[in-house]
Amino acid sequence: MHPFQCPQCSGTVFFENDQCTRCGSLLGVAPASASMLGWAAGSPPPQPACANRDTEARCNWMCDSGDGQALCRSCRLTQVLPPLDVPGNGARWRTIEQAKRRLVFTLLGLGLGLEPKTGPDDTQGLAFHLLASQSGGPPVKTGHENGTITLDVAEADDDHREAERVRLNEPTRTLLGHLRHETAHYLQWRWIAGTAADQTCRDAFGDETADYAQALARHYAEGPPADWPQQYVSAYASAHPWEDWAETCAHYLLMLDAVQTAGAWGLQLNGHLGVAVEPIALDDAPQARDLVLQHWLPVAQFLTAMNRSLGQRDSYPFLLPPAVLHKLEVVQTLLRGAAGAPAPQPG
């Protein structure tokens, strides 16, 4: 994510800001131009603001000029909300939408336009259903099916998410990570399954026709294979080829966002790492192997060292062995193919 400036006073503002703390101007992200718009309080905005700006979602995105839509590109993807009269659900909705806008911004930067699902037979659109478990009813299961992503809104609560992280022995568990993972399932369903890219994906991640329910049951009963750190980006990725794709794709999106942020902010590591992170465009990133070894891992090592200095958990507790680097290259190639862009060449 590149830094933004207030158009009124040139002060630094963040992607999530809806008002400049320096001059008081109102702010809104225009996703079509990847820019921040600003206007004086009491004046009309330069283009329509999302109708969810004045709801509990507190959306700070603008609608595209002339598209006639009341909601922005991100909010239109959310088609089911939890009961907003239940205390806490409004705040959960706001937290989820904030994370989702960051994900959508990244995908737009990759050239992957997302359109709302128009119905159960729509084989291209995407829909988010934000659901809350009801007392006495079955728990909401986060997942993706045929272009619909269901998310348990409890994942927006830090205490719930951390308890689940510990229960499932996960190194990290974040709301944005959930959204990246489930959207990765959608990307495979939308742009890879049933196309010429299917075989490339299968060669890298395995036969996705293996029984999914049985594979997950076996994973939770027996755990991952002993050699999973040499073959997979996470233990869960070893459960089934679909999960291997989703975990690896989500990891690629994480690295892209992080490296773009580091480069755009001019991060330089002048110690023994000796790295100046170069600015990158999401749709023209270096080859995945170079992105990892030359850009991302030095930043990740610094972040982990800083977290240890602050008494926090390692920010990046992952290994990226050769087998995972290859899978990241396949993810990059397939996503660029989905966006109609040529594959990156080795640097």
Side-chain angles (χ1 to χ4, degrees):
M1 183 70 64
H2 60 79
F4 293 87
Q5 285 187 320
C6 171
Q8 304 297 309
C9 70
S10 299
T12 298
V13 295
F14 291 93
F15 179 71
E16 294 80 10
N17 288 147
D18 60 8
Q19 188 168 18
C20 177
T21 57
R22 179 178 175 182
C23 72
S25 296
L26 301 180
L27 301 172
V29 174
S33 58
S35 62
M36 183 72 76
L37 304 183
W39 64 98
S43 300
Q47 64 189 62
C50 178
N52 274 339
R53 188 180 183 95
D54 297 323
T55 69
E56 290 181 272
R58 292 288 299 276
C59 179
N60 73 330
W61 273 24
M62 315 300 287
C63 297
D64 297 335
S65 295
D67 71 358
Q69 299 286 343
L71 297 175
C72 71
R73 295 188 185 195
S74 180
C75 285
R76 288 203 300 272
L77 300 174
T78 301
Q79 298 186 354
V80 176
L81 294 176
L84 296 180
D85 57 348
V86 174
N89 277 351
R92 295 181 183 104
W93 178 30
R94 179 166 62 252
T95 301
I96 292 167
E97 291 296 344
Q98 188 175 85
K100 178 157 70 68
R101 287 194 293 275
R102 180 172 284 267
L103 169 64
V104 172
F105 192 85
T106 297
L107 294 176
L108 290 174
L110 289 172
L112 298 172
L114 305 177
E115 294 297 330
K117 197 172 182 68
T118 59
D121 296 329
D122 183 353
T123 59
Q124 298 187 357
L126 174 62
F128 285 85
H129 291 187
L130 311 184
L131 304 181
S133 297
Q134 303 298 314
S135 178
V140 172
K141 291 185 177 181
T142 294
H144 166 269
E145 184 175 7
N146 298 330
T148 296
I149 292 173
T150 299
L151 181 68
D152 180 0
V153 297
E155 289 293 338
D157 296 337
D158 293 342
D159 54 349
H160 170 87
R161 200 170 57 251
E162 178 62 10
E164 287 297 285
R165 186 194 71 79
V166 173
R167 184 179 70 85
L168 296 172
N169 194 30
E170 297 176 342
T172 64
R173 188 181 180 96
T174 68
L175 184 55
L176 182 54
H178 271 310
L179 294 175
R180 285 174 175 146
H181 176 98
E182 299 305 336
T183 302
H185 281 304
Y186 164 75
L187 296 176
Q188 184 184 38
W189 174 82
R190 166 68 177 85
W191 275 290
I192 296 173
T195 73
D198 236 351
Q199 189 59 52
T200 301
C201 192
R202 188 173 299 123
D203 290 343
F205 297 97
D207 183 4
E208 79 287 355
T209 64
D211 189 280
Y212 183 71
Q214 289 182 6
L216 288 192
R218 182 171 57 250
H219 172 78
Y220 286 120
E222 303 174 6
D227 67 343
W228 77 260
Q230 285 74 52
Q231 305 297 326
Y232 301 95
V233 71
S234 70
Y236 187 57
S238 68
H240 187 275
W242 280 347
E243 299 305 338
D244 194 9
W245 159 268
E247 287 285 270
T248 309
C249 181
H251 213 85
Y252 178 70
L253 297 177
L254 177 156
M255 292 190 306
L256 271 185
D257 195 352
V259 170
Q260 188 194 45
T261 300
W265 282 82
L267 180 65
Q268 296 190 44
L269 304 173
N270 294 325
H272 73 284
L273 296 174
V275 171
V277 184
E278 298 293 332
I280 66 167
L282 294 178
D283 61 351
D284 192 28
Q287 188 185 43
R289 186 176 298 267
D290 293 337
L291 183 74
V292 170
L293 299 178
Q294 298 179 21
H295 298 267
W296 170 234
L297 285 184
V299 174
Q301 291 168 5
F302 165 73
L303 292 175
T304 290
M306 182 60 73
N307 263 26
R308 291 182 180 184
S309 296
L310 298 174
Q312 301 291 327
R313 271 198 321 272
D314 288 0
S315 62
Y316 190 73
F318 296 96
L319 299 174
L320 299 178
V324 174
L325 288 177
H326 171 66
K327 291 175 183 178
L328 287 167
E329 289 178 324
V330 173
V331 166
Q332 183 183 56
T333 297
L334 293 181
L335 291 185
R336 290 182 66 84
Q345 299 301 310

